[in-house]
Amino acid sequence: MENKDAETETTIDRLVELGMPFLTKEEKSIGQKAIRKTFKGTAHLANLLPTGSVLAFRILSPVSTHKGNCYSLVSKYMTLGLLGFCSLSCFLLCFTDSIRDSRGKVRYGMATKTGLWIIDGSKVEISSEDSKKYKLKFIDFFHGFTSMLVFAAMALFDQNVVNCFYPTRTINALDFLNTIPVIIGVVCSLLFLVFPTTRHGIGFPLSKT
């Protein structure tokens, strides 16, 4: 250990003599740690949602809010419409599932009371035993509403949306906006673990079989 420390000090001294920059580990401030936790929380919540809905929200959020300024009521209505559309898509995509046909191609469908309705209209033969797996279940509605809550929590992490509707925030409102998304994220993450879904729908990872 002493040899390694001596080598490290010698290397740093050489870099200083040559005028070359080097990186040292600095302690992060409270604000930097909070920002880091926010980005980590947003990334973790995004993993629980359909990628298409999250991507659409990420791209259109700065546009509809004018980077958080919201100059007019039209901007606020557009942002509300974007939030409603993305949350609805998160809900509906929880009812989608995928299946591989005889050629190994992935076909997407919507869960119904009788089985899986293939969206593109292609004919895929599904046995009666397998069709039971794709039937509409109560867990689908549960995951749909939970996904909407997760999306709402992720939207509260977005500074463009927060600045649009709450340009001036009190200390209590700031604490609320910082705490509620974390609580929703933790609770919903636990619910997803306790009550997992077997569906591999649009925007979710595909199954190997």
Side-chain angles (χ1 to χ4, degrees):
M1 292 293 295
E2 294 180 356
N3 293 332
K4 291 183 178 180
D5 294 338
E7 291 177 0
T8 303
E9 293 179 358
T10 304
T11 304
I12 293 175
D13 293 337
R14 289 178 181 176
L15 291 174
V16 173
E17 291 177 359
L18 296 173
M20 297 176 65
F22 61 93
L23 296 175
T24 57
K25 188 176 181 180
E26 297 180 356
E27 293 185 0
K28 294 182 175 63
S29 63
I30 298 176
Q32 290 174 335
K33 290 180 180 179
I35 293 173
R36 185 180 179 184
K37 288 182 180 180
T38 300
F39 282 117
K40 280 186 176 181
T42 306
H44 177 66
L45 292 177
N47 292 332
L48 302 175
L49 298 174
T51 54
S53 302
V54 176
L55 182 61
F57 175 74
R58 292 294 185 195
I59 295 175
L60 298 177
S61 173
V63 178
S64 63
T65 61
H66 296 285
K67 295 183 178 180
N69 294 316
C70 282
Y71 299 112
S72 62
L73 288 175
V74 176
S75 300
K76 291 186 177 181
Y77 287 139
M78 289 177 61
T79 305
L80 285 174
L82 176 64
L83 292 172
F85 173 79
C86 291
S87 61
L88 182 61
S89 66
C90 289
F91 177 78
L92 293 177
L93 289 177
C94 289
F95 296 89
T96 61
D97 207 338
S98 60
I99 189 174
R100 296 184 184 274
D101 58 13
S102 57
R103 294 180 294 176
K105 291 186 177 181
V106 178
R107 304 294 182 182
Y108 289 100
M110 183 72 70
T112 63
K113 293 181 180 180
T114 58
L116 189 67
W117 173 67
I118 305 300
I119 297 175
D120 60 0
S122 58
K123 296 181 179 180
V124 180
E125 295 183 358
I126 304 175
S127 62
S128 58
E129 295 181 358
D130 291 336
S131 62
K132 295 179 181 179
K133 301 178 182 178
Y134 297 104
K135 284 184 178 181
L136 196 62
K137 303 175 183 177
F138 174 77
I139 193 70
D140 297 325
F141 293 93
F142 173 78
H143 275 269
F145 286 111
T146 307
S147 296
M148 293 179 68
L149 289 176
V150 173
F151 177 78
M154 193 190 69
L156 290 175
F157 272 127
D158 190 277
Q159 293 301 312
N160 292 324
V161 175
V162 174
N163 291 332
C164 176
F165 294 101
Y166 301 99
T168 56
R169 298 182 290 273
T170 61
I171 297 177
N172 293 331
L174 188 62
D175 291 338
F176 176 82
L177 293 173
N178 290 333
T179 305
I180 290 300
V182 177
I183 295 175
I184 294 176
V186 172
V187 173
C188 291
S189 298
L190 292 175
L191 291 175
F192 276 123
L193 291 174
V194 176
F195 306 101
T197 180
T198 57
R199 298 198 184 279
H200 303 274
I202 300 173
F204 295 97
L206 295 174
S207 61
K208 295 181 181 180
T209 57

